[in-house]
Amino acid sequence: MNTIILKTASKYLLPLLLLFSIFVLLRGHYLPGGGFVGGLIAAIAFVLHAFANGLENTQQLMRIHPGFLMPVGLLISAISGMAPMLLNKPFMTGLWKSDPVPVIGSLGSALFFDIGVYLVVIGATLTILFTISETR
Amino acid sequence: MENTVGYIPFLLLGILLYTSVLTFPSVRSNGFRSRFSPLVPIVSFFYFLFGFDGSVQTTTVWDHSLLPISITFQIDGLSRLFALLITGIGSLIFIYANGYMKGAKYVQRLQCFLLLFMLAMLGVVLSDDLILLFIFWELTSISSFFLIGFKNEDEASRQSALQAITITGMGGLIMLGGFIILGEIAGTYSISSMSSPEIISQITSHGWFVPMLILILVGAFTKSAQFPFHFWLPGAMKAPTPVSAYLHSATMVKAGVYLLARFSPVLGDTPVWNIALISFGGVTMVYAAFQSLFRTDMKSILAYTTVSALGIMVFLLGLQSSDAIAAVSLFILVHALYKASFFMLAGTIDHETGTRDISQLGGLGKVMMPLFAIGILAAWSNGGIPPSVGFLGKDLIYESTLHHPAWAYVFTGLSVGTNIMLFAAGLLVGWLPFRGTRSHPSVTLPHWSLWVPALLLALLGMIFGLFPSIINNGLINPVADAIAGTEQNIHLKLWHGFNTVFYLSLITMGVGFLLYNLIRPGAKLLSFIESAEHWGPKRILHALANEFVGVSSWITMTLQNGKLRIYLLVILGFLVSLLGYVVLSDTNFVIDKEQLTNITIYEGITVGILFISVFLTLFSGSRLAAVAAMGVVGYTLCIIFVFYSAPDLAMTQFTIDTLTVILFVLVLYRLPRFIRLDFSARHILDGIVAISVGALMTVISLEVLQRTPEREISDFYALNAYVMAKGKNVVNVILVDFRGADTMIEIVVLTIAAIGVYSLLKLRLRKNEKME
């Protein structure tokens, strides 16, 4: 698509939407939101950018193939699930830091699990969309 | 000893991680990463060697509270011996494979499959849960399929791989049936809790005991290549030799023996068990030993002697006396040591000379002295000549057959006969190629990695024989304890004096040597003996397999013929007929008007938009408009979610709908112009299916409102979300904490789907790879 408005807007919208997606990810434990929705929003941000500026530009911006986010996300989720086992607790037991951290709030293994979900969702969605639009 | 068993899940996970690292294409020159692979089995080997002493240790990773399934690992003497063999021989095989495959393509891929296979084997021998064991069991079949078919450009190789996975996979499936019956009648799926006397008597006296036992035995027999399922094993020799050495000396085929040994305390010593194991094992050991004598291919000889040795183990497990259990405990180790060295020897000779045909090899001893030493040492142990550990093993075998109360003469005769033939076959591989005139003058001694691993194993066979006390208490006795289920007292001794057993050994060696001198396999004998195999069970199973393939491809072509329409019709048709049956037979179609709330103006407008957009989706003349209208349908649903306070759902639905529209547009963009064809029967059928699915969903949603729902679960989540998981958003807490494991699996599925799309669309087949 070749509209100057969308092109200009998408440049500002991409970081804003990404920030928003992280915000949605972080607030998920108390208010509506979470890794899944956050990931989808981030994916939409990139798709919007790709629509306005062309797929090649977005891919250049991302540097890595979005597919690599999937194993990274899976690994983070798996590790956060396994971590309690080192303390002899069952798989997926929530671990929490006793004092809250500024900005993020209280920190627990569930957050890392959600970050993993977030990355996998971005990776999977973008892999599918980019692959389909690349194929001629 | 401190509790080291807790590290087992991490070890298995570590192996898996390393395996996945290997799957990435290597950036540096070929095989840089593959040089480090032997470290994985070596580290595991030392963990099992020093971490455990044969006492029973258990660790539970995960326990399902409702289903009788758990991820529990247990290690005892039997598991430890197998784990040591798997990792120990694995270490040497990895070093050997690096030498053997040097410069070849796909070294990394081979190591990947080998590691996956090793992981699966470790899982089989360490699992305490029936279902977990089954999963690893199937994983060994699958990974061995890739290993056997590693030379995937060779049709015979692919054929053998298919044959192996068909036989072992089918056996595994049958075994699963047996496992489920066993778990149900025992009331537990944990193997270790089955060994209490009450549960054993509950199992053995149950009416389903015999069918269950037969099912499990089929699984074990197919895996361990017992007659009449034996033929997949010689076929599997198409694999690269390091693979054969690993799969057929210590691992894959021993899984069946392991299974029998594992269940021996629970199911053993019942009439069916004894008769089945003795007869199948007995037939296998004699038949395969006889077959091995007439082969000319070294690997083929070794394959049949392996089948025969597995027959001996099954036979011994059928005898169930404490002598027999001691014999099988030792023989597992003995066989692994000499057979792995034999296989590596055959591989090295093949690698250097280009042939494995013993009728064409000769005089290699002069240039390949260390290989000759391996051949002699392995044949020594294989033949049971003192002072090798093979002698101890054979001693115990004769001891156990001689003391059988009813059939001592028959059984002793059979095992002496088998051992005579195995003795001769061992000489054919380990002695014959090195004697006589030189067949390959230019051959020299290969790189150390091609012979040192085999030499080490062959030497161990001698060391253990000379000093049996090294393995007696630490290794073999705990194995016998585990197989018998009671305390055993084994005293391995080299010299027992001049008794019957010793004379039988002398007879074995003497006659075996005579037989070796009499027999010189050649093409004529080979074709004769192969015709016996041709008309045997292989033929029947082949015909069955062909039928099976025919029926399954018919079903596939009917239900999944590649047309999206048919897929949807099949899926939705099934859904409607199954769910519809249940719902319609138990619904009274009454709507309680008291419960309904008034319709607000916003809701009315939203539903109005919904209707209009559904109409547009169905009847619009352009695809793009239809897709956009469908997006509107999704958005109106989101708004309804918002009305009924489900913001999480609304948010997710909203983003999903946006992406769906984008996806549709991307795909539809490529389709030819939309043409509305005449109204046909196809449209009517589609309409009927669509309407019935919609009607069914409506009925179900209304019915859900009518029933007083079980609120226990949602109350539990609502109450405990903050208390237990420190979150106020119940939906998200369920996703990341209470049902975190589910989410974990879901993101794995998501990843698989993305990889699927990627590989399907990026797949570029070469011309010769395309199907006609």
Side-chain angles (χ1 to χ4, degrees):
Chain A
M1 242 178 285
N2 244 339
T3 77
I4 190 107
I5 301 177
L6 191 60
K7 252 186 192 172
T8 320
S10 73
K11 266 182 205 152
Y12 297 98
L13 275 176
L14 178 65
L16 273 179
L17 277 173
L18 285 182
L19 210 61
F20 179 63
S21 75
I22 291 169
F23 164 72
V24 168
L25 160 74
L26 289 180
R27 81 201 280 261
H29 217 58
Y30 276 10
L31 297 160
F36 193 77
V37 190
L40 288 175
I41 293 173
I44 288 176
F46 283 112
V47 170
L48 184 71
H49 190 266
F51 263 144
N53 301 299
L55 191 59
E56 292 75 25
N57 285 321
T58 316
Q59 277 168 335
Q60 242 168 33
L61 191 77
M62 288 189 80
R63 302 236 168 97
I64 52 162
H65 190 280
F68 285 107
L69 293 176
M70 298 190 292
V72 175
L74 280 181
L75 202 66
I76 294 176
S77 289
I79 289 172
S80 79
M82 301 254 175
M85 284 161 66
L86 287 176
L87 305 174
N88 262 333
K89 286 180 183 169
F91 182 60
M92 287 280 174
T93 311
L95 298 176
W96 292 91
K97 198 172 173 300
S98 41
D99 317 308
V101 178
V103 183
I104 297 176
S106 40
L107 200 60
S109 60
L111 176 66
F112 291 96
F113 184 77
D114 227 8
I115 292 175
V117 174
Y118 175 82
L119 292 177
V120 172
V121 170
I122 302 180
T125 316
L126 288 183
T127 305
I128 294 175
L129 285 172
F130 284 5
T131 315
I132 288 178
S133 49
E134 266 174 6
T135 316
R136 292 282 165 229
Chain B
M1 186 165 285
E2 64 182 302
N3 200 16
T4 40
V5 71
Y7 298 107
I8 284 179
F10 293 99
L11 178 82
L12 297 183
L13 204 71
I15 298 174
L16 189 65
L17 266 181
Y18 186 83
T19 312
S20 57
V21 166
L22 275 182
T23 59
F24 285 101
S26 65
V27 185
R28 296 246 225 142
S29 62
N30 190 17
F32 172 72
R33 226 170 308 159
S34 55
R35 256 172 267 160
F36 299 102
S37 303
L39 283 177
V40 179
I42 290 173
V43 169
S44 320
F45 175 73
F46 285 109
Y47 167 65
F48 286 113
L49 186 62
F50 297 116
F52 303 97
D53 57 359
S55 57
V56 182
Q57 292 187 30
T58 313
T59 180
T60 300
V61 181
W62 177 75
D63 202 345
H64 198 288
S65 46
L66 297 173
L67 292 173
I69 295 170
S70 70
I71 298 182
T72 304
F73 295 105
Q74 172 166 310
I75 188 162
D76 60 1
L78 181 64
S79 306
R80 180 168 173 253
L81 173 68
F82 271 93
L84 284 173
L85 288 176
I86 292 163
T87 53
I89 293 186
S91 311
L92 297 171
I93 293 287
F94 266 87
I95 297 171
Y96 177 75
N98 269 355
Y100 187 87
M101 302 286 288
K102 197 168 212 160
K105 263 187 186 173
Y106 309 131
V107 183
Q108 215 163 295
R109 190 191 284 178
L110 181 79
Q111 290 185 337
C112 223
F113 291 141
L114 274 175
L115 277 175
L116 193 68
F117 177 77
M118 184 178 101
L119 173 77
M121 273 311 297
L122 283 176
V124 167
V125 301
L126 295 171
S127 300
D128 185 46
D129 185 87
L130 284 177
I131 303 296
L132 188 65
L133 193 153
F134 171 76
I135 292 170
F136 281 117
W137 180 277
E138 290 298 73
L139 194 58
T140 61
S141 294
I142 294 167
S143 48
S144 67
F145 167 75
F146 288 113
L147 286 170
I148 295 170
F150 187 74
K151 298 175 192 154
N152 56 10
E153 282 162 8
D154 173 24
E155 181 165 1
S157 212
R158 297 198 299 261
Q159 198 83 41
S160 308
L162 265 178
Q163 199 176 59
I165 200 174
T166 315
I167 304 262
T168 56
M170 181 195 73
L173 212 58
I174 293 173
M175 189 183 76
L176 177 64
F179 275 2
I180 291 172
I181 302 176
L182 174 61
E184 289 305 313
I185 61 183
T188 171
Y189 280 75
S190 151
I191 299 167
S192 55
S193 8
M194 283 176 197
S195 51
S196 75
E198 304 90 64
I199 297 188
I200 291 179
S201 68
Q202 183 186 327
I203 294 171
T204 47
S205 61
H206 198 277
W208 282 78
F209 174 73
V210 176
M212 177 270 292
L213 184 59
I214 291 173
L215 293 178
I216 292 183
L217 289 184
V218 169
F221 285 176
T222 47
K223 197 78 156 188
S224 277
Q226 295 299 295
F227 188 87
F229 306 111
H230 63 284
F231 55 86
W232 72 263
L233 198 149
M237 291 301 134
K238 298 281 186 309
T241 307
V243 172
S244 312
Y246 195 34
L247 259 59
H248 302 128
S249 64
T251 52
M252 172 89 171
V253 294
K254 293 268 178 72
V257 172
Y258 167 80
L259 192 84
L260 294 176
R262 174 55 69 215
F263 284 115
S264 159
V266 182
L267 310 175
D269 228 0
T270 51
V272 187
W273 169 284
N274 292 0
I275 293 169
L277 265 65
I278 290 174
S279 49
F280 279 92
V283 169
T284 309
M285 69 184 189
V286 178
Y287 174 78
F290 182 70
Q291 282 274 343
S292 72
L293 284 177
F294 302 98
R295 305 275 151 181
T296 52
D297 177 9
M298 286 173 94
K299 273 176 87 176
S300 206
I301 299 174
L302 293 175
Y304 279 100
T305 56
T306 304
V307 175
S308 175
L310 292 166
I312 295 177
M313 290 176 211
V314 171
F315 173 78
L316 288 172
L317 283 168
L319 291 177
Q320 285 285 323
S321 62
S322 51
D323 282 331
I325 286 171
V328 75
S329 310
L330 183 63
F331 193 60
I332 292 170
L333 175 71
V334 172
H335 176 254
L337 291 178
Y338 77 70
K339 194 48 68 67
S341 21
F342 261 152
F343 267 116
M344 286 195 255
L345 174 73
T348 307
I349 290 180
D350 184 20
H351 192 263
E352 296 307 312
T353 65
T355 178
R356 298 190 304 248
D357 190 334
I358 49 169
S359 58
Q360 288 174 18
L361 288 165
L364 296 176
K366 293 183 186 94
V367 278
M368 295 173 148
M369 217 36 218
L371 288 181
F372 194 17
I374 296 166
I376 293 173
L377 286 171
W380 202 312
S381 193
N382 165 60
I385 307 169
S388 68
V389 72
F391 174 71
L392 297 175
K394 200 173 54 181
D395 242 20
L396 282 169
I397 294 172
Y398 290 163
E399 194 83 48
S400 57
T401 54
L402 276 175
H403 290 144
H404 192 269
W407 295 68
Y409 288 107
V410 180
F411 291 163
T412 311
L414 285 178
S415 47
V416 171
T418 306
N419 272 309
I420 289 172
M421 292 189 273
L422 289 181
F423 183 93
L427 287 178
L428 287 177
V429 178
W431 180 261
L432 185 61
F434 299 99
R435 305 300 301 162
T437 47
R438 264 169 87 171
S439 58
H440 294 76
S442 60
V443 165
T444 52
L445 188 65
H447 187 249
W448 66 267
S449 62
L450 282 172
W451 54 270
V452 169
L455 190 61
L456 270 176
L457 283 180
L459 277 175
L460 269 186
M462 206 50 81
I463 294 168
F464 288 162
L466 282 169
F467 309 102
S469 56
I470 307 175
I471 49 171
N472 191 11
N473 292 334
L475 206 58
I476 302 302
N477 211 359
V479 179
D481 291 347
I483 299 179
T486 49
E487 290 273 314
Q488 298 288 305
N489 230 336
I490 295 180
H491 292 290
L492 297 177
K493 256 197 324 199
L494 196 56
W495 181 243
H496 284 277
F498 293 99
N499 52 14
T500 327
V501 173
F502 182 72
Y503 294 125
L504 285 175
S505 280
L506 280 184
I507 293 173
T508 311
M509 288 181 251
V511 182
F513 194 70
L514 271 179
L515 188 63
Y516 162 73
N517 280 310
L518 275 175
I519 218 154
R520 276 297 168 271
K524 213 170 145 192
L525 271 175
L526 184 66
S527 68
F528 168 71
I529 205 77
E530 268 187 344
S531 66
E533 280 281 81
H534 186 70
W535 290 101
K538 194 171 172 178
R539 201 179 171 80
I540 303 166
L541 280 171
H542 259 274
L544 272 180
N546 284 338
E547 271 313 299
F548 190 73
V549 171
V551 170
S552 62
S553 52
W554 176 77
I555 291 179
T556 313
M557 286 321 284
T558 320
L559 296 182
Q560 304 191 322
N561 58 357
K563 284 186 187 147
L564 192 60
R565 242 187 101 248
I566 305 291
Y567 282 55
L568 279 178
L569 270 183
V570 169
I571 294 170
L572 295 178
F574 247 84
L575 180 82
V576 169
S577 44
L578 288 180
L579 262 184
Y581 173 74
V582 176
V583 170
L584 293 185
S585 59
D586 190 27
T587 305
N588 29 22
F589 296 103
V590 181
I591 297 173
D592 184 5
K593 296 200 179 63
E594 304 272 309
Q595 284 189 1
L596 297 179
T597 50
N598 290 325
I599 301 171
T600 62
I601 182 111
Y602 317 107
E603 288 163 9
I605 295 170
T606 315
V607 173
I609 299 172
L610 180 73
F611 273 115
I612 295 169
S613 35
V614 167
F615 184 80
L616 268 177
T617 316
L618 284 178
F619 299 103
S620 122
S622 107
R623 281 205 194 89
L624 218 53
V627 168
M630 217 171 71
V632 177
V633 174
Y635 287 165
T636 48
L637 280 179
C638 298
I639 297 175
I640 293 174
F641 286 146
V642 174
F643 288 153
Y644 290 92
S645 53
D648 270 293
L649 209 52
M651 270 169 88
T652 316
Q653 180 76 31
F654 203 80
T655 41
I656 287 279
D657 257 305
T658 313
L659 283 167
T660 313
V661 170
I662 294 173
L663 201 66
F664 261 116
V665 171
L666 284 175
V667 175
L668 293 182
Y669 187 67
R670 305 247 153 67
L671 293 181
R673 259 187 78 80
F674 184 73
I675 307 164
R676 183 170 292 280
L677 296 169
D678 282 343
F679 211 66
S680 67
R682 258 175 54 175
H683 285 94
I684 298 174
L685 182 62
D686 289 355
I688 292 172
V689 172
I691 289 173
S692 32
V693 173
L696 183 69
M697 289 313 293
T698 315
V699 172
I700 290 175
S701 336
L702 287 175
E703 188 61 18
V704 166
L705 290 177
Q706 291 306 305
R707 305 267 166 109
T708 33
E710 305 263 339
R711 306 239 7 141
E712 257 175 65
I713 300 166
S714 29
D715 284 346
F716 169 82
Y717 286 139
L719 278 175
N720 290 303
Y722 194 69
V723 185
M724 286 167 70
K726 310 199 181 194
K728 286 178 185 157
N729 176 3
V730 182
V731 177
N732 203 49
V733 167
I734 291 175
L735 284 178
V736 299
D737 200 311
F738 288 131
R739 315 284 313 204
D742 288 358
T743 312
M744 187 73 222
I745 292 167
E746 274 154 26
I747 55 177
V748 172
V749 171
L750 199 62
T751 310
I752 293 170
I755 294 172
V757 171
Y758 182 81
S759 41
L760 271 179
L761 290 177
K762 294 277 177 187
L763 182 68
R764 291 274 179 275
L765 287 178
R766 265 175 278 148
K767 217 172 209 165
N768 59 354
E769 288 170 338
K770 281 189 182 149
M771 273 223 302
E772 256 85 83

